[in-house]
Amino acid sequence: MYNPVFNLVVVIFFGLIIIFNIIKILKEYERGVIFRLGRLLGAKGPGLIILIPFIDKMVKVDLRVITYDIPPQDVITKDNVSIKVNAVLYFQVLDPNKAIVSVANFFEATSQIAQTTLRSVLGQVELDDLLAQRDKINAELQTIIDDQTEPWGVKVSVVEVKNVDLPIEMQRAMAKQAEAERERRSKVIHADGEYQASEKLAMAAEVIGKQPNTMQLRFLQTLVEVSAEKNSTLIFPVPIDLLNSVQKWLVSNTKE
């Protein structure tokens, strides 16, 4: 039985399907790589894209910067220290055509290259260099990964080593090393202070030897300094020459 309403609904339904296959709208950060009967036509967009139904096929590509957190990698450094290192990778697609045609999955390929390069580069450096020269290592990682992803139309802009997990034994050894280094510096500073003090004392002794009255002035200055502190103890310095005189007098009286 002929049903015009049903036929109209079917026509509208298939018409909408055809329209959805013909008209595509791409955002500002998107590009559409067009294939016509399997042959590459190129990237189009953003905006309105018109395709030939069942003949053209479009693959969307996001041109925004992608942040990829490289999972922790087991690395043995040049000085045979086992560590776990993770990093963060920033990259984006610059050539949509190459990103779709040259590699099956540019995201997966870039992530695998980043992981293997991280293990390879960090395995050639010592632990101290990894901790102290991180900017240099980041630049080297970025250059190597970018060179390998360039044929895919992918640009790696930044690679940053995030965390370096050390074994407990290594952490204790480094703590002991840091403590020993601080103790060494303390002893050097103390010895340097003693040396400078001895030089000043020698200069003071030389001045006092030329002018003996300066010792008496120093005694008086010491009394002023002690009394200024408002304590109940009174310290009176006795000149050494006076003690020597008393000692001579006692010796002479004892002989008599």
Side-chain angles (χ1 to χ4, degrees):
M1 182 176 180
Y2 178 74
N3 190 341
V5 177
F6 176 78
N7 293 338
L8 180 60
V9 171
V10 172
V11 171
I12 293 176
F13 177 75
F14 282 102
L16 292 175
I17 293 177
I18 294 174
I19 291 175
F20 288 147
N21 282 277
I22 292 176
I23 299 176
K24 301 291 184 181
I25 298 177
L26 300 180
K27 299 181 178 65
E28 182 66 31
Y29 54 84
E30 291 179 334
R31 297 295 183 270
V33 180
I34 310 300
F35 294 90
R36 177 165 295 171
L37 296 177
R39 296 178 62 88
L40 176 66
L41 291 183
K44 295 184 179 181
L48 182 64
I49 306 297
I50 298 178
L51 304 176
I52 300 175
F54 310 112
I55 295 179
D56 292 345
K57 182 180 179 181
M58 184 183 72
V59 180
K60 287 185 180 181
V61 179
D62 196 324
L63 301 185
R64 292 177 294 182
V65 176
I66 300 173
T67 303
Y68 173 65
D69 192 2
I70 303 175
Q73 303 294 310
D74 293 322
V75 178
I76 299 179
T77 60
K78 189 176 181 180
D79 49 350
N80 296 323
V81 179
S82 298
I83 57 176
K84 279 185 175 292
V85 183
N86 68 335
V88 61
L89 179 72
Y90 295 88
F91 66 96
Q92 66 180 136
V93 176
L94 296 184
D95 191 335
N97 295 329
K98 291 182 179 180
I100 298 300
V101 176
S102 300
V103 62
N105 188 329
F106 70 88
F107 181 86
E108 181 66 21
T110 303
S111 66
Q112 293 298 322
I113 286 292
Q115 294 178 38
T116 55
T117 304
L118 181 65
R119 291 194 298 268
S120 176
V121 171
L122 298 187
Q124 300 175 8
V125 299
E126 296 184 355
L127 179 60
D128 292 341
D129 295 335
L130 173 59
L131 299 176
Q133 302 179 5
R134 189 168 295 187
D135 292 340
K136 179 181 178 181
I137 295 175
N138 292 337
E140 184 177 357
L141 288 170
Q142 186 270 333
T143 301
I144 295 175
I145 299 174
D146 184 54
D147 290 341
Q148 297 183 74
T149 59
E150 184 179 2
W152 308 334
V154 176
K155 172 64 178 177
V156 177
S157 56
V158 178
V159 181
E160 291 284 345
V161 175
K162 293 173 60 178
N163 297 323
V164 179
D165 294 333
L166 300 175
I168 300 298
E169 296 79 7
M170 182 57 62
Q171 294 180 15
R172 292 174 180 172
M174 293 180 67
K176 291 180 181 179
Q177 180 183 2
E179 184 178 357
E181 178 65 20
R182 288 194 297 269
E183 185 176 356
R184 182 189 69 83
R185 293 179 182 178
S186 175
K187 290 182 179 179
V188 170
I189 293 173
H190 180 73
D192 186 60
E194 291 291 336
Y195 176 73
Q196 294 181 10
S198 64
E199 287 185 333
K200 297 299 182 181
L201 288 174
M203 295 172 61
E206 184 179 355
V207 173
I208 292 173
K210 294 179 181 179
Q211 299 291 336
N213 293 331
T214 56
M215 179 61 72
Q216 194 69 23
L217 295 175
R218 180 57 182 163
F219 289 157
L220 296 176
Q221 183 180 3
T222 302
L223 288 176
V224 173
E225 292 175 355
V226 172
S227 61
E229 295 178 0
K230 298 181 180 180
N231 50 25
S232 58
T233 303
L234 179 61
I235 300 175
F236 187 81
V238 179
I240 297 177
D241 294 340
L242 179 60
L243 293 178
N244 291 335
S245 301
V246 173
Q247 183 180 7
K248 291 180 181 179
W249 180 79
L250 291 175
V251 171
S252 62
N253 287 339
T254 302
K255 292 181 179 180
E256 294 177 357

